[in-house]
Amino acid sequence: QVQLVESGGGLVQPGGSLKLSCAASGSRFSTYTMGWYRQAPGKQRELVAVIYSGGNTRYADSVKGRFTISRDNAKNTVYLQMNSLKPEDTAVYYCNAHITTWDYWGQGTQVTVSS
């Protein structure tokens, strides 16, 4: 069982920045594929960014060039740096750990982009 705890959400003005963090339990964090997903009201959950154990990353087209996913294996933590935020980025952001055939989810953190 892997537990994920997100932090860093909040209210920000358009054009602003936020950094999300996700702390994971487990002794083999460096082997996990970690991702950030988001779900806006009335919409399906969608992939935002993923980082693989080797450090390769992948992003949704809508966030490329604005968001950066990174990981610190020594701290069992994955981050999502979000810059140039837009109102359409408003959603609950969820941390995901993909381990072999299992998926684990955090409780989610709200990000609201509004003036």
Side-chain angles (χ1 to χ4, degrees):
Q1 188 78 7
V2 174
Q3 294 184 327
L4 304 172
V5 179
E6 301 108 332
S7 60
L11 173 64
V12 63
Q13 292 186 342
S17 297
L18 279 177
K19 187 173 184 177
L20 306 182
S21 300
C22 172
S25 64
S27 60
R28 303 190 65 186
F29 176 80
S30 62
T31 67
Y32 304 166
T33 294
M34 299 298 299
W36 287 97
Y37 290 70
R38 67 186 181 188
Q39 187 166 18
K43 295 188 176 181
Q44 289 188 333
R45 191 173 297 189
E46 63 176 0
L47 174 69
V48 176
V50 62
I51 184 165
Y52 300 95
S53 59
N56 289 341
T57 58
R58 182 163 57 94
Y59 297 91
D61 287 343
S62 59
V63 306
K64 281 181 182 177
R66 299 189 298 122
F67 291 12
T68 302
I69 188 170
S70 61
R71 66 193 298 162
D72 186 336
N73 291 333
K75 295 182 178 180
N76 277 23
T77 301
V78 63
Y79 305 97
L80 185 68
Q81 176 67 49
M82 304 185 293
N83 299 328
S84 302
L85 283 160
K86 304 175 181 180
E88 51 263 43
D89 294 318
T90 295
V92 177
Y93 283 70
Y94 295 92
C95 179
N96 169 269
H98 182 75
I99 305 167
T100 59
T101 59
W102 296 94
D103 279 291
Y104 298 90
W105 296 91
Q107 81 285 356
T109 185
Q110 177 71 46
V111 172
T112 302
V113 184
S114 175
S115 54

